[in-house]
Amino acid sequence: MTDRSKTRGLILAISLLSTLVALSFAKIVPQPERWLTDWQLAHMPAGPVDSSIVLVVTAGKDASPALCGEGRWNFAVLEATLLALHEAGATVIVPSLDVSAPIESECGGLSGLVRLAEVTKRIGSVIYPDSVPLTLADAATHLGRLALAPDEDGVFRRVKSPPASAGGSTPHPPIGLTIASFVSKTAIKPEVIGNQVRFVGHWNNSPFPNHGFADVWNIIQSRDRDQLANWFRGKVVIIFSPGSKDPTLSTPWEFAVPVEFLHAVLANAVLTNGWVSAPSLLVAFLVTGSVGLLLAFFLLRETSLTRLGLTGLAGVLLAGLALFLGLRQGWVWPIFTTGLAWSMTIGGTIAWRTFMFQSIIQRRITQGQQQLRQLEKELAEKQHHVRELETQLHAAHDHANQSATVIKGLQAAKGGVFRQLEISQAEMEETRRQINRLQEDLENLRQQVPASQAAFPLSPVPGDSQALVQECASFQILTRDPSVLRVFQDLKKAAVTQSPILLLGETGTGKEVFAKAAHALSPRHRGPFVSVNMAAIRSELFEGELFGHVKGAFTGAVGREGYIETANGGTLFLDEVGELPSDLQAKLLRFLEDGSFHRVGESRLTQVDVRIIAATNRDLQKDVEAGRYREDLYYRLRSIVLTLPPLRQRGQEDRLLLAQSFLQHFSRQQHRMDLEFTQGALDAIVAYQWPGNIRELRQTVAQAVALANGSIITEADLHLSSPVPLLAGGEGYGREELGRQEDSMVLECLRRHGFDMQATAKALGWDRSTVTQRLKGLGFQALVASHGNIEAAAQSLAGDVTLARVVEGRLREYSKNLLPSSKHYSSVEEAVADCRKRFRNLPERHFPAVEQLVHQRFSTPAG
């Protein structure tokens, strides 16, 4: 066994032995642990308080109405008090009653005791101490033990098992447990016995509502039943004994606490599960021993005093934080036992470390001497190596002198290369200027020439969405945007239900159009669709407009149906429902809850069958949190919520579809069917942000149709309120169009010269490699369009059967070199990155075709 293994075994033994000794000492001498536990209980936050517990205090001047004889209950007063509390709706009444023979006549005598028993039996919810006479005990609902057993030091901390009675009968549980069992209608679990109570406050500042008996008696005498019901309805009423003989106990929080208050605390602990949690002996042993073992191993490491101190401070802070969090959660920890075990572990570890220190130092001295001899040997070898490097350096210096002539020749050639570079840069700059002029010319033409039908070609719709696009169009919803199609799919599902639909979205996003579509798709489509703008109805006319009124309801009233009754059997669309004032929200909520209402001036209830669809551009959730909108109305409306995206988040195809539709509509109205958009106008429509959404687009097109000169609508005719961002679609789209025209020009030149690279390059004024890259990009696009069929792709590029074989050979070469067989790629991303590196001169517009071909290669099984 090695020294390290011996050390570990010894440290483990020290840690476990220290923990066992500390636990044993705490059992033999429990007082220190008890003091520290009381300190934790005293600093523990108050536990939860059950609001059903109420105290009636009969101490001092408050006890005078209840007293008779030598501080005993007056049975007549107690009888009247029990009846009044029962009539006030108290759940259970618990008087702390001390009846001992003989019963004085001024207290009611035996007849008063009998009457009290009859009243108790009639009430049926009275709990007495088990010390009352048999007459009262038989009449009581339950009995409980008034006396509580403290710990050995006289402090009440926990519930203890009651001592067995002299007759061998089962003793009654404490009154507090009896109260909790009666209120919760469940039996008290055996594991409650022995649990520490989590105190909820001081007796002098009771956490439970309390009233003086004199105040209660005065209210009973004045027959103020409303005040009694306000105080005691649904409550557990604990009435303190009027005498001064009741026992008091000490708690970890205070001294001389009435036993009735402790029973209230005990009942509260059961009802709220307000117990103090303490670790079991096994958990305390494992945690203490494990942390002690970590401390021992840490102390054995060679650590500086500063680091040791900082680590110790961090450990103390961490332990304090754990203790603080535990107290917040109702946990107590055996601090004395833990501290004693850790102190013994630290002491034993330090003693062992001191004992081993001398041998460790001697071993390190020996190791240091061996390392010194090894370093001396390595130093001699390095000095020899340095001498060899010096020899090589001299040889290299001689070789450099011989190469001076070569360097001078290279410098002379350098000037010629620089001159050639300047010429090339000048040519590039001239080419850029030509491109810029072409772009400006193209942009001017696009502003004046009507846009062709293919200027903004619509991308093909997947087969599963084509029917959905057509169905949307049948309801005047023009879209190809996936997000809008998803909303329409959800709308179809929601339309066949009877649940209210809440449409959210900015102003002008088409909420009423979707509401009409939901009505048309619902089983109510044969019924009426009634749209109501809630923001446009004045408050004083709200009920008359919504619910209708009868003849004579007010001056000049002739009687009419309201919007709700008009929509009976159909759909009622409540637009701008978020703008409804708070006083009108309650009136609308009453109708939504049961579908009935009163016409103004009529007491008869009218029942209708209406489907509700609401819409708003406000954030109702924030309005609810701010108190501007009723939460119950909000949750009544938001059974099914659909959010319409703003126009700026929809694809450019939607803007073009809507613009063309509005142009056709208003052109027919104005009898100007020859009107067309210019390309510049379409670019502006695509690029503009449209803060007013579809409504703003509709009004913009309507204005342009009305004010346009001639048969075209230009960008200037749109009168957009803010400048069009170029990068959003104007300049970017122009560059794409220019690129497509350039590809067409290159392909036409290639066909004219029989796909001769050199002749084509000369005709275009380019170099051969540039023409090759353009043909390569066009070839990749043709392969994608023909689904990888090389013959079909070659035929589409050649345009002539006689040239197809030449193009086919080049395409086979390009396809073969797309992913060379000499390279192995682990993923699609790695292959695409390599293609971008190898085809870096390929125009960016051709790379989507490259990526699609790479994906096809990876998705096709090998062989």
Side-chain angles (χ1 to χ4, degrees):
M1 183 180 294
T2 63
D3 291 343
R4 180 171 295 182
S5 300
K6 291 180 181 179
T7 301
R8 289 177 178 174
L10 181 63
I11 292 304
L12 178 61
I14 291 174
S15 176
L16 296 180
L17 183 61
S18 299
T19 305
L20 288 174
V21 171
L23 290 172
S24 302
F25 183 80
K27 289 293 182 182
I28 298 171
V29 185
Q31 194 58 39
E33 192 67 76
R34 193 173 291 159
W35 286 338
L36 290 175
T37 300
D38 285 350
W39 177 85
Q40 295 180 74
L41 293 175
H43 290 80
M44 183 179 292
V49 177
D50 192 294
S51 60
S52 65
I53 300 176
V54 178
L55 308 181
V56 177
V57 182
T58 57
K61 62 182 180 62
D62 290 320
S64 56
L67 290 174
C68 70
E70 298 180 358
R72 298 182 180 179
W73 272 105
N74 187 319
F75 287 161
V77 172
L78 181 58
E79 176 185 335
T81 301
L82 295 181
L83 284 173
L85 294 178
H86 175 67
E87 292 173 356
T91 302
V92 62
I93 308 170
V94 188
S96 178
L97 186 62
D98 180 17
V99 181
S100 58
I103 303 174
E104 300 176 4
S105 58
E106 61 178 315
C107 295
L110 290 177
S111 61
L113 181 65
V114 172
R115 286 196 302 275
L116 180 60
E118 291 175 353
V119 169
T120 300
K121 193 167 186 179
R122 187 171 7 142
I123 292 174
S125 58
V126 181
I127 299 176
Y128 283 129
D130 57 3
S131 60
V132 299
L134 186 60
T135 303
L136 289 180
D138 292 339
T141 306
H142 292 287
L143 297 176
R145 179 164 47 88
L146 185 63
L148 292 173
D151 289 339
E152 291 79 359
D153 57 351
V155 178
F156 176 75
R157 301 183 182 88
R158 71 191 78 244
V159 184
K160 290 192 172 183
S161 301
S165 61
S169 60
T170 303
H172 293 97
I175 287 180
L177 297 184
T178 305
I179 294 172
S181 176
F182 180 82
V183 172
S184 63
K185 296 182 175 54
T186 57
I188 299 300
K189 298 179 181 179
E191 55 264 26
V192 169
I193 305 301
N195 280 359
Q196 292 195 39
V197 179
R198 184 172 182 179
F199 293 91
V200 294
H202 294 79
W203 158 241
N204 293 330
N205 187 18
S206 172
F208 306 109
N210 62 85
H211 310 284
F213 184 80
D215 297 334
V216 176
W217 181 249
N218 290 335
I219 295 175
I220 294 173
Q221 292 291 88
S222 63
R223 301 183 182 278
D224 190 351
R225 295 183 178 179
D226 292 337
Q227 183 62 36
L228 284 176
N230 185 40
W231 281 0
F232 301 111
R233 182 180 301 279
K235 306 293 184 180
V236 176
V237 185
I238 302 177
I239 306 176
F240 284 40
S241 173
S244 59
K245 300 179 182 179
D246 290 334
T248 59
L249 293 174
S250 296
T251 69
W253 285 32
E254 55 189 331
F255 299 101
V257 179
V259 70
E260 292 92 345
F261 176 73
L262 293 179
H263 280 293
V265 172
L266 185 57
N268 178 76
V270 177
L271 292 174
T272 65
N273 198 25
W275 304 104
V276 175
S277 301
S280 63
L281 184 63
L282 178 60
V283 172
F285 174 79
L286 292 176
V287 173
T288 303
S290 300
V291 176
L293 190 62
L294 291 175
L295 287 173
F297 278 116
F298 181 76
L299 289 173
L300 283 178
R301 298 178 61 187
E302 295 183 5
T303 308
S304 64
L305 292 178
T306 302
R307 185 175 181 183
L308 187 63
L310 292 175
T311 306
L313 178 61
V316 171
L317 292 176
L318 187 61
L321 178 62
L323 180 62
F324 172 76
L325 295 177
L327 292 179
R328 299 288 296 179
Q329 299 298 322
W331 278 82
V332 295
W333 186 262
I335 299 176
F336 174 77
T337 303
T338 302
L340 180 61
W342 289 352
S343 299
M344 294 173 64
T345 300
I346 291 172
T349 304
I350 292 175
W352 171 253
R353 180 177 178 179
T354 304
F355 174 75
M356 294 295 294
F357 186 69
Q358 294 296 330
S359 60
I360 292 173
I361 290 177
Q362 185 62 40
R363 189 181 305 117
R364 289 184 176 178
I365 290 173
T366 304
Q367 292 174 353
Q369 292 174 346
Q370 293 175 352
Q371 291 174 358
L372 179 60
R373 288 192 293 270
Q374 181 66 27
L375 290 174
E376 290 175 348
K377 181 179 179 181
E378 292 177 357
L379 178 60
E381 293 176 352
K382 290 181 179 179
Q383 288 176 343
H384 177 70
H385 183 62
V386 167
R387 287 192 293 270
E388 291 180 347
L389 290 176
E390 288 176 348
T391 303
Q392 295 175 4
L393 179 61
H394 290 302
H397 183 69
D398 294 339
H399 182 70
N401 291 332
Q402 296 174 1
S403 302
T405 305
V406 177
I407 294 175
K408 291 179 181 179
L410 292 175
Q411 289 176 344
K414 179 179 178 181
V417 172
F418 278 149
R419 285 190 297 274
Q420 185 63 37
L421 179 61
E422 291 174 355
I423 294 172
S424 299
Q425 289 176 342
E427 292 175 352
M428 289 173 59
E429 188 63 30
E430 179 61 28
T431 303
R432 289 194 186 96
R433 284 194 292 270
Q434 291 177 1
I435 292 175
N436 291 335
R437 284 195 297 272
L438 287 173
Q439 287 179 340
E440 291 175 0
D441 294 341
L442 176 62
E443 186 63 28
N444 293 332
L445 289 173
R446 286 158 54 83
Q447 294 295 335
Q448 302 300 327
V449 177
S452 63
Q453 187 66 28
F456 280 88
L458 299 178
S459 59
V461 179
D464 55 348
S465 299
Q466 184 63 46
L468 193 62
V469 170
Q470 296 175 354
E471 189 175 5
C472 285
S474 67
F475 295 109
Q476 303 302 315
I477 301 173
L478 301 180
T479 184
R480 300 166 74 90
D481 185 75
S483 61
V484 181
L485 293 177
R486 285 194 296 270
V487 173
F488 183 75
Q489 280 185 318
D490 294 338
L491 185 74
K492 290 176 60 179
K493 299 173 185 175
V496 299
T497 70
Q498 296 299 321
S499 302
I501 299 176
L502 178 60
L503 298 175
L504 302 178
E506 297 179 4
T507 301
T509 52
K511 296 185 284 295
E512 185 169 359
V513 176
F514 272 80
K516 291 179 179 178
H519 171 72
L521 291 167
S522 71
R524 301 171 176 268
H525 65 278
R526 298 185 184 277
F529 176 86
V530 179
S531 176
V532 184
N533 188 337
M534 306 299 284
I537 302 178
R538 300 205 321 252
S539 300
E540 60 271 18
L541 302 179
F542 177 81
E543 290 185 271
E545 292 293 324
L546 208 61
F547 305 133
H549 54 261
V550 298
K551 182 177 181 181
F554 50 86
T555 303
V558 296
R560 64 180 290 273
E561 287 186 347
Y563 290 122
I564 293 177
E565 196 168 358
T566 304
N568 188 22
T571 301
L572 180 63
F573 176 55
L574 303 178
D575 197 10
E576 302 299 343
V577 73
E579 307 297 333
L580 198 62
S582 58
D583 57 328
L584 303 182
Q585 294 173 16
K587 298 177 182 179
L588 177 61
L589 176 63
R590 284 197 297 272
F591 161 68
L592 293 179
E593 286 177 343
D594 57 7
S596 60
F597 61 92
H598 292 280
R599 298 188 186 92
V600 177
E602 184 180 54
S603 60
R604 181 173 61 87
L605 197 65
T606 300
Q607 187 78 29
V608 295
D609 178 21
V610 174
R611 167 72 175 286
I612 298 298
I613 300 178
T616 182
N617 61 353
R618 298 178 63 89
D619 189 339
L620 293 185
Q621 181 66 45
K622 290 185 178 178
D623 288 349
V624 169
E625 294 172 357
R628 293 189 295 269
Y629 207 80
R630 292 179 64 102
E631 184 176 15
D632 45 4
L633 177 58
Y634 171 60
Y635 287 113
R636 176 69 66 177
L637 292 173
R638 69 168 305 238
S639 177
I640 299 175
V641 180
L642 300 177
T643 302
L644 303 185
L647 184 57
R648 62 181 173 274
Q649 293 180 5
R650 294 165 62 169
Q652 70 174 20
E653 295 179 348
D654 279 19
R655 304 183 196 183
L656 296 175
L657 284 172
L658 291 167
Q660 292 288 358
S661 174
F662 294 150
L663 177 62
Q664 294 172 7
H665 173 74
F666 292 116
S667 296
R668 283 194 298 270
Q669 285 187 354
Q670 301 290 335
H671 304 291
R672 301 182 63 182
M673 300 304 295
D674 59 336
L675 283 178
E676 294 181 275
F677 286 117
T678 66
Q679 191 62 57
L682 291 180
D683 286 346
I685 290 172
V686 170
Y688 189 61
Q689 293 300 302
W690 299 110
N693 295 298
I694 300 174
R695 183 177 295 123
E696 182 185 5
L697 176 58
R698 177 186 175 92
Q699 297 306 320
T700 299
V701 175
Q703 175 181 286
V705 170
L707 302 180
N709 295 318
S711 61
I712 59 173
I713 296 177
T714 66
E715 180 182 351
D717 293 329
L718 297 176
H719 296 290
L720 296 178
S721 58
S722 61
V724 177
L726 293 178
L727 293 180
E731 183 183 35
Y733 182 80
R735 290 176 179 173
E736 292 178 4
E737 179 66 20
L738 183 62
R740 284 194 292 268
Q741 294 181 3
E742 184 178 275
D743 287 344
S744 299
M745 177 189 69
V746 172
L747 182 58
E748 182 61 31
C749 192
L750 282 167
R751 289 171 176 173
R752 192 163 57 247
H753 292 87
F755 286 87
D756 185 332
M757 299 290 108
Q758 191 65 40
T760 304
K762 184 176 180 180
L764 293 173
W766 294 354
D767 57 10
R768 178 188 176 93
S769 62
T770 302
V771 177
T772 303
Q773 292 297 324
R774 296 302 170 87
L775 178 58
K776 191 177 296 184
L778 292 171
F780 291 148
Q781 290 180 335
L783 285 172
V784 170
S786 62
H787 304 289
N789 189 326
I790 295 179
E791 291 80 7
Q795 183 61 46
S796 65
L797 286 178
D800 186 354
V801 180
T802 59
L803 298 175
R805 295 294 298 273
V806 177
V807 179
E808 182 180 338
R810 293 188 181 276
L811 289 186
R812 290 190 184 279
E813 178 185 359
Y814 299 157
S815 177
K816 179 180 179 181
N817 293 333
L818 181 65
L819 296 178
S821 59
S822 59
K823 294 188 177 183
H824 300 282
Y825 304 100
S826 59
S827 65
V828 175
E829 291 75 17
E830 181 182 352
V832 170
D834 183 64
C835 287
R836 282 190 171 273
K837 185 183 301 182
R838 290 187 290 111
F839 304 142
R840 56 181 176 272
N841 293 327
L842 199 68
E844 184 63 30
R845 60 183 176 275
H846 296 155
F847 267 102
V850 175
E851 294 178 359
Q852 191 168 347
L853 289 173
V854 171
H855 279 274
Q856 290 176 0
R857 295 285 181 87
F858 269 79
S859 61
T860 303

